Amino acid sequence: MSINIYKILKLISGNRIPAPVKLLGICGMHLLGRRTIGIFIDPVFACNLRCRMCYFSDSKKRGQVKGNMSDEELDKVEKALFHRALKLQIGCGAEPTLYPHLAELVKRGHRAGIPYISLTTNGQLIATGRVNLEQLVEGGLNEITLSMHGTDRETYEYLMPGANFDNLCRLIEIISDVKRRFPKFVVRINFTVNSMNVNNLRGNGFWHLWEGKVSPDIVQLRPVQNYGDTAWCDFDHTPLKENYDATIGAVVKECQRRGVTCIAPSIEQLDAVNDVQDAVSSIIEDFSYCYVTHGNCYKSDFDVQTDSYESYHKRKHTGWRLFKSAFSHKSSRHRNVSKKLNYDVK
């Protein structure tokens, strides 16, 4: 089964479909036993880099977040949730290529019929040969999301301590070779923009690494956010706004010219952090977002030892609550404060 997860995202996040219709659609899929959740899993909570904009740059935080999921934990998560997953995202806040059973995790998702499996990684261990990307794709991986926050050696290695720019160049070669063999394999770039690397987006600065290679399919530009104690301290978006047309805006236009999907904020959206989400987005996110790591699965009251997707939502009367929300007045729908920035899928 092949799906375009980004078309689904565009439909859900846009205004073309009325809010009640979105909620009734989610409700109907839930009640009919269709796949409705995205599983975001950190099978190992560790990282081989100390990126300055990430909490792994803080030694105290690194000491607090650690642990590997056991085979027994994965067995229970797979049994409880995989059959209702529309997407399996491997790697969220940590580096999944450190997990020794990564290839088996991809195969588990594929055997369970999850239609879209994605890996978020800095890619350094793929570049050095410790992880075989082609093997992962053969096992069912649909997408690689490459975290890279600079396109020249100085910027890349400064913002991502422990990473090697030569490895990045080698990684792009590997990705391009795999993409040529598996044309439907999706390549996505996540680039967190700050006052130091914003000029990497000027002119051909963002694209030169891909010259003569297979171009990425999706580019996401994420303005830097304050996640707490990190080595990076400059969260002022003024340089991003002042240079928007020549940097972020220029990449958006070039993506459109190349036929590349671009996920980026408008200039008005750059500072939309900690805003209250619209009610429908809050409801859909709360229902469909499923985070899993060692000792943590889906919701605080979800017991992976005894619960299944069906038993949990039956206990919570989820179908009825979704149905009621579709017909309730929008002012009465619960809203959440979101740490996410607003983006347009272009």
Side-chain angles (χ1 to χ4, degrees):
M1 178 182 177
S2 176
I3 64 168
N4 189 323
I5 204 76
Y6 295 96
K7 285 186 178 179
I8 295 173
L9 174 62
K10 192 168 186 177
L11 282 172
I12 292 174
S13 61
N15 296 317
R16 293 173 59 186
I17 301 177
V21 176
K22 290 180 185 178
L23 289 169
L24 285 175
I26 294 290
C27 179
M29 291 178 68
H30 167 69
L31 293 174
L32 291 171
R34 304 293 295 275
R35 295 178 180 272
T36 51
I37 62 173
I39 297 177
F40 296 77
I41 185 169
D42 278 319
V44 55
F45 222 105
C47 191
N48 54 329
L49 304 186
R50 300 292 180 258
C51 296
R52 296 180 187 274
M53 295 179 285
C54 173
Y55 48 70
F56 274 103
S57 64
D58 177 55
S59 58
K60 182 178 179 181
K61 184 67 174 180
R62 287 200 305 273
Q64 295 171 346
V65 290
K66 53 188 174 182
N68 289 11
M69 291 188 70
S70 66
D71 287 342
E72 182 182 0
E73 280 183 290
L74 277 174
D75 287 342
K76 293 185 181 301
V77 171
E78 179 182 353
K79 183 178 179 181
L81 298 170
F82 276 25
H83 64 293
R84 298 302 292 265
L86 188 64
K87 178 183 180 181
L88 175 63
Q89 173 71 58
I90 305 171
C92 307
E95 178 49 51
T97 58
L98 292 169
Y99 184 60
H101 308 299
L102 178 59
E104 177 57 29
L105 176 54
V106 172
K107 289 178 181 177
R108 282 175 182 253
H110 185 64
R111 285 196 301 263
I114 300 177
Y116 204 82
I117 303 174
S118 180
L119 175 73
T120 298
T121 176
N122 58 54
Q124 291 286 304
L125 298 184
I126 296 174
T128 57
R130 285 183 56 184
V131 175
N132 188 317
L133 180 60
E134 187 170 310
Q135 181 185 50
L136 295 178
V137 177
E138 288 174 339
L141 187 69
N142 301 101
E143 175 189 78
I144 185 171
T145 299
L146 175 60
S147 298
M148 54 173 284
H149 311 308
T151 61
D152 61 62
R153 184 182 299 275
E154 180 182 6
T155 305
Y156 179 80
E157 293 185 355
Y158 178 81
L159 290 175
M160 303 178 69
N164 182 290
F165 187 74
D166 293 331
N167 285 344
L168 173 63
C169 296
R170 173 61 185 147
L171 175 64
I172 291 173
E173 294 274 4
I174 292 171
I175 289 173
S176 295
D177 289 343
V178 171
K179 176 77 170 173
R180 292 187 186 101
R181 184 176 174 194
F182 301 92
K184 293 184 179 180
F185 181 57
V186 177
V187 179
R188 169 173 164 160
I189 304 300
N190 275 5
F191 189 100
T192 300
V193 192
N194 61 32
S195 57
M196 178 182 181
N197 66 10
V198 65
N199 287 322
N200 279 185
L201 305 181
R202 291 182 180 273
N204 197 41
F206 183 79
W207 301 99
H208 72 97
L209 290 172
W210 301 91
E211 289 178 355
K213 315 294 191 305
V214 173
S215 181
D217 301 284
I218 300 110
V219 171
Q220 180 168 19
L221 304 177
R222 302 167 55 92
V224 64
Q225 295 185 59
N226 187 348
Y227 289 114
D229 294 326
T230 63
W232 185 261
C233 301
D234 181 6
F235 304 102
D236 183 7
H237 290 163
T238 301
L240 280 59
K241 290 184 282 188
E242 290 177 344
N243 298 283
Y244 185 89
D245 289 342
T247 56
I248 294 173
V251 173
V252 171
K253 288 182 178 179
E254 183 62 15
C255 283
Q256 292 171 340
R257 190 187 73 80
R258 292 172 178 246
V260 172
T261 298
C262 188
I263 306 172
S266 66
I267 193 169
E268 295 79 17
Q269 292 170 332
L270 278 171
D271 288 325
V273 185
N274 294 329
D275 277 359
V276 177
Q277 285 183 312
D278 70 271
V280 172
S281 295
S282 294
I283 293 167
I284 293 175
E285 180 179 319
D286 182 64
F287 166 69
S288 63
Y289 180 79
C290 174
Y291 180 68
V292 177
T293 191
H294 173 61
N296 186 341
C297 183
Y298 200 10
K299 307 289 184 184
S300 59
D301 57 347
F302 185 93
D303 184 352
V304 74
Q305 301 295 327
T306 57
D307 273 326
S308 66
Y309 173 97
E310 288 77 14
S311 68
Y312 176 79
H313 286 293
K314 182 178 180 180
R315 185 170 76 246
K316 304 296 285 189
H317 307 290
T318 300
W320 175 238
R321 289 189 293 113
L322 287 170
F323 185 79
K324 282 200 305 181
S325 295
F327 293 99
S328 63
H329 191 274
K330 63 181 180 180
S331 63
S332 68
R333 295 177 185 143
H334 177 69
R335 291 166 170 79
N336 292 326
V337 174
S338 177
K339 284 293 287 182
K340 295 181 179 178
L341 287 169
N342 292 321
Y343 295 94
D344 290 328
V345 182
K346 302 173 175 68

